[in-house]
């Protein structure tokens, strides 16, 4: 049973179901060939930045299923201060995720891009960029619609 606290403000995907499939297809295509643990770390980090409870709930659960430790999940919002818990490749991808998600300077800094490019080939970078773009789309739709954590799309 939905209550005002658990019901979305706007059931976007029920009202416009043709939006869901393409966004899901983009997300699935972007994940191809990427490490599932890395994917979940990036999806959680973007969702933290965007304050999307729905996506955080989903991706923390998925990260646990993928074998990510509670410690790594808990420290993710402070990954820069916990370098021993994340590989250099993960840290480069997290920095890239933050730069693409929070475009406060209006662009992704060259040093952030070059750091990611040192760990990922061009095809992987394209998939990372698509994945970050997809989660930001999911986050924005779900936050604006007020999708509750644990809710159903």
């Amino acid at each position: 049973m939905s209550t005002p606290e658990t019901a979305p403000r706007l059931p976007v995907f029920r009202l416009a179901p043709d939006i869901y499939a393409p966004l899901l297809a983009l997300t699935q295509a972007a994940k191809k060939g990427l490490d599932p643990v890395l994917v979940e770390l990036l999806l959680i980090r973007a969702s933290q930045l965007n304050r999307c409870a729905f996506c955080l709930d989903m991706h923390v659960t998925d990260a646990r299923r993928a074998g990510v430790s509670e410690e790594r999940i808990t420290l993710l919002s402070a990954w820069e201060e916990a370098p021993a818990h994340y590989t250099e490749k993960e840290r480069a991808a997290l920095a890239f995720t933050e730069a693409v998600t929070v475009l406060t300077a209006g662009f992704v800094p060259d040093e952030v891009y070059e750091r990611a490019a040192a760990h990922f080939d061009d095809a992987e970078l394209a998939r990372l960029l698509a994945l970050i773009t997809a989660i930001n789309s999911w986050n924005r739709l779900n936050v604006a619609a007020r999708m509750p954590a644990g809710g159903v799309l």
Side-chain angles (χ1 to χ4, degrees):
M1 179 173 131
S2 290
T3 66
E5 296 82 32
T6 61
R9 162 194 291 170
L10 182 68
V12 175
F13 301 110
R14 183 173 52 80
L15 295 169
D18 53 331
I19 294 170
Y20 180 83
L23 190 50
L24 183 60
L26 171 62
T27 304
Q28 291 171 335
K31 290 179 180 181
K32 287 182 183 171
L34 296 177
D35 174 16
V37 168
L38 177 67
V39 165
E40 293 308 326
L41 291 174
L42 301 185
L43 297 177
I44 292 169
R45 186 64 190 126
S47 298
Q48 287 172 333
L49 293 167
N50 290 320
R51 301 178 60 184
C52 183
F54 181 88
C55 291
L56 279 168
D57 179 60
M58 176 190 308
H59 295 296
V60 165
T61 299
D62 292 346
R64 288 179 180 130
R65 279 192 209 124
V68 180
S69 71
E70 289 299 318
E71 189 172 36
R72 283 171 36 99
I73 292 169
T74 300
L75 291 172
L76 192 54
S77 65
W79 65 270
E80 289 177 297
E81 287 76 38
H85 296 278
Y86 306 96
T87 67
E88 180 53 39
K89 185 175 186 175
E90 289 170 340
R91 291 193 311 271
L94 287 164
F96 190 55
T97 299
E98 289 185 0
V100 172
T101 298
V102 184
L103 292 171
T104 54
F107 58 90
V108 174
D110 289 341
E111 59 273 8
V112 172
Y113 180 85
E114 289 163 10
R115 181 178 178 188
H119 296 279
F120 299 93
D121 65 29
D122 287 348
E124 291 170 322
L125 279 173
R127 291 193 183 278
L128 284 177
L129 183 55
L131 181 67
I132 297 162
T133 299
I135 192 60
N136 276 283
S137 295
W138 287 112
N139 290 165
R140 282 156 174 74
L141 286 165
N142 288 324
V143 168
R146 289 196 182 154
M147 285 297 298
V152 178
L153 294 177

